[in-house]
Amino acid sequence: MTSLKSLLALVTLSVTVLAQTCAPLPATITLRANSRLPDPFTTYGGQKVTTAADWTCRRNEISELFQRLEVGTLPPKPSSVTGTVSGNSITVNVNNGGTGISFTASIRYPTGNGPFPAIIALGGASIPIPSNVAVITYNNDDIAQQANTGSRGRGKFYTLYGQGHSASAMTAWVWGVSRLIDVLEANTGHRIDTKRLGVTGCSRNGKGAIMIGAFEPRIALTIPQESGSGGAACWRLSDDMSRRGIEVQTARQIVTENVWFSPLFNQYVNRVPDLPLDHHFLAGLVAPRGLLVIEHSGINWLGPFSTYGCMVTGRKVYQALGVPNNMGISSVGGHGHCQFPSSQNTELTAFINKFLLNNTSANTNVQRSDVNLNYNEASWVDWTVPNLA
Ligand code: MCU
């Protein structure tokens, strides 16, 4: 009887494992030109995504494509991650094969016993965070510098993994946030609820925020602010703006400015249509978790047409998963860069209420721009949205 039972258990296990097998990407990725925004619902190998299980595989594939083509390898959790949370400070100690680093982050707590949700802010928050939500200030530049192209390989991540590691600064920041969460999860001496974590950052740190949401599934709410090209914008849409004579940041420019992308990406910046991805896939990686994309409609360099069109397209993954209102896109101008306007308060509050404060009835149906950006979907999207819910 027992042996029959264990045999059955083994069969069930094998069937489950087999069912979850995803087709691996080949060692060499064949590039096929596509001037439109690539279909998130067709795999690299040409298979249509029709079920939730298909999407799980496709999601992994997209994550690998980003790492191999744009941002370099995100290392897994190292063998030793320890740390403390004491008073208002989190200390993270990591050891990898004999080399060690430590870094800290500070916590601003609400008053009371908690546990409280928290928003991790790259370099500090430039959105208003309500007083009942904790703020964890994360010094991402300490993990990977971002002064200019001379910052390549500099920062604690590279002390640990070597200066020549393929990871871009943004990838290194993702890794650092994951280690912060490891320490929060392993310690009890704090008042943070690790099931209710958000992430935010503005501009270059907004690019980092959307990457963190995309690659760290323990983040419940992602709020990139004015991340522009390299963040919420799609390379193809930014190139289109550039062709129309608008001074927008493009892939070919961004790699000459800073180290947000891996050196691996350099070979693709002049052949963007060949990329089997674009940044609407980043929203797809965050799905179905909360995502509010805050953009600026009046600064051409940030690519307003591009960020809006890209994120409206990314929201189609949320639609496919049956949760369109878990993602919002709001593009508003008439203010300085990273100066959050009060006209976006209601939507920001709704996302925080729903994803960090357990208010399920908050209205997070947000898709707007305060100016007409003349984004014509038919020119960019030649695929349909399946029902994966
Ligand atoms: C929007 O983020 C960047 C932008 O990509 C850069 O080209 C520019 O130099 O700086 C922006 C920024 O981080 O501003 C604070």
Side-chain angles (χ1 to χ4, degrees):
M1 223 14 220
T2 326
S3 60
L4 187 66
K5 253 193 185 161
S6 33
L7 186 69
L8 266 178
L10 195 68
V11 170
T12 318
L13 185 73
S14 328
V15 168
T16 319
V17 169
L18 279 178
Q20 283 171 352
T21 301
C22 305
L25 282 172
T28 306
I29 293 174
T30 307
L31 304 179
R32 300 177 199 90
N34 179 1
S35 57
R36 297 182 200 223
L37 296 174
D39 180 0
F41 308 113
T42 298
T43 68
Y44 171 84
Q47 298 295 311
K48 286 268 176 225
V49 171
T50 58
T51 65
D54 290 349
W55 174 251
T56 304
C57 284
R58 175 63 171 147
R59 191 188 173 281
N60 291 339
E61 181 179 281
I62 289 173
S63 165
E64 194 182 329
L65 285 170
F66 270 110
Q67 292 178 65
R68 285 173 61 177
L69 302 172
E70 278 200 14
V71 297
T73 305
L74 174 63
K77 185 178 176 179
S79 51
S80 167
V81 181
T82 60
T84 53
V85 188
S86 141
N88 292 328
S89 178
I90 309 171
T91 303
V92 181
N93 309 306
V94 186
N95 200 293
N96 183 50
T99 310
I101 58 149
S102 293
F103 64 96
T104 60
S106 64
I107 310 173
R108 185 195 83 190
Y109 277 114
T111 48
N113 294 329
F116 301 106
I119 294 182
I120 300 166
L122 277 69
S126 32
I127 52 170
I129 296 181
S131 60
N132 49 353
V133 174
V135 183
I136 298 176
T137 302
Y138 170 53
N139 182 5
N140 49 313
D141 291 19
D142 184 36
I143 305 299
Q145 291 179 21
Q146 55 167 336
N148 48 48
T149 50
S151 300
R152 182 69 72 198
R154 295 181 193 272
K156 286 175 179 168
F157 175 92
Y158 303 98
T159 306
L160 205 59
Y161 290 105
Q163 280 201 331
H165 194 282
S166 69
S168 69
M170 291 199 285
T171 311
W173 302 337
V174 176
W175 176 92
V177 164
S178 299
R179 304 297 73 84
L180 261 182
I181 302 175
D182 293 342
V183 169
L184 285 171
E185 283 182 344
N187 283 267
T188 49
H190 61 78
R191 291 174 283 144
I192 303 294
D193 180 352
T194 55
K195 295 274 175 265
R196 291 185 290 153
L197 291 175
V199 68
T200 192
C202 191
S203 206
R204 58 194 60 203
N205 291 336
K207 306 184 209 304
I210 193 167
M211 288 288 166
I212 290 163
F215 288 98
E216 174 45 82
R218 290 174 291 181
I219 295 290
L221 176 61
T222 302
I223 313 173
Q225 180 187 16
E226 298 183 40
S227 63
S229 294
C234 279
W235 302 124
R236 284 167 177 81
L237 298 173
S238 298
D239 274 359
D240 179 74
M241 293 178 73
S242 170
R243 278 191 297 269
R244 289 187 272 125
I246 300 166
E247 212 180 303
V248 60
Q249 184 161 40
T250 58
R252 59 182 183 277
Q253 187 281 337
I254 209 168
V255 299
T256 67
E257 182 184 335
N258 218 306
V259 294
W260 299 309
F261 292 88
S262 172
L264 286 166
F265 187 45
N266 294 349
Q267 61 191 300
Y268 305 113
V269 299
N270 289 305
R271 48 190 300 207
V272 160
D274 289 352
L275 286 168
L277 50 71
D278 213 322
H279 278 213
H280 55 312
F281 284 11
L282 278 182
L285 291 178
V286 182
R289 291 167 290 127
L291 171 62
L292 174 62
V293 178
I294 297 167
E295 278 297 332
H296 196 301
S297 62
I299 301 178
N300 282 341
W301 187 247
L302 300 176
F305 163 87
S306 181
T307 52
Y308 184 76
C310 191
M311 289 297 110
V312 164
T313 310
R315 192 166 178 234
K316 293 179 186 298
V317 174
Y318 283 81
Q319 279 155 11
L321 297 174
V323 285
N325 296 346
N326 284 9
M327 174 177 175
I329 159 80
S330 173
S331 187
V332 169
H335 59 88
H337 184 41
C338 299
Q339 305 297 307
F340 185 85
S342 58
S343 60
Q344 282 173 316
N345 254 328
T346 309
E347 51 220 27
L348 173 64
T349 306
F351 271 82
I352 291 176
N353 282 345
K354 182 156 169 184
F355 294 99
L356 299 182
L357 293 164
N358 297 331
N359 176 352
T360 47
S361 63
N363 177 8
T364 55
N365 184 4
V366 176
Q367 181 171 305
R368 71 169 179 125
S369 168
D370 64 341
V371 297
N372 182 0
L373 295 165
N374 290 313
Y375 170 71
N376 176 20
E377 186 165 290
S379 310
W380 296 100
V381 176
D382 59 1
W383 37 268
T384 54
V385 182
N387 180 359
L388 308 173

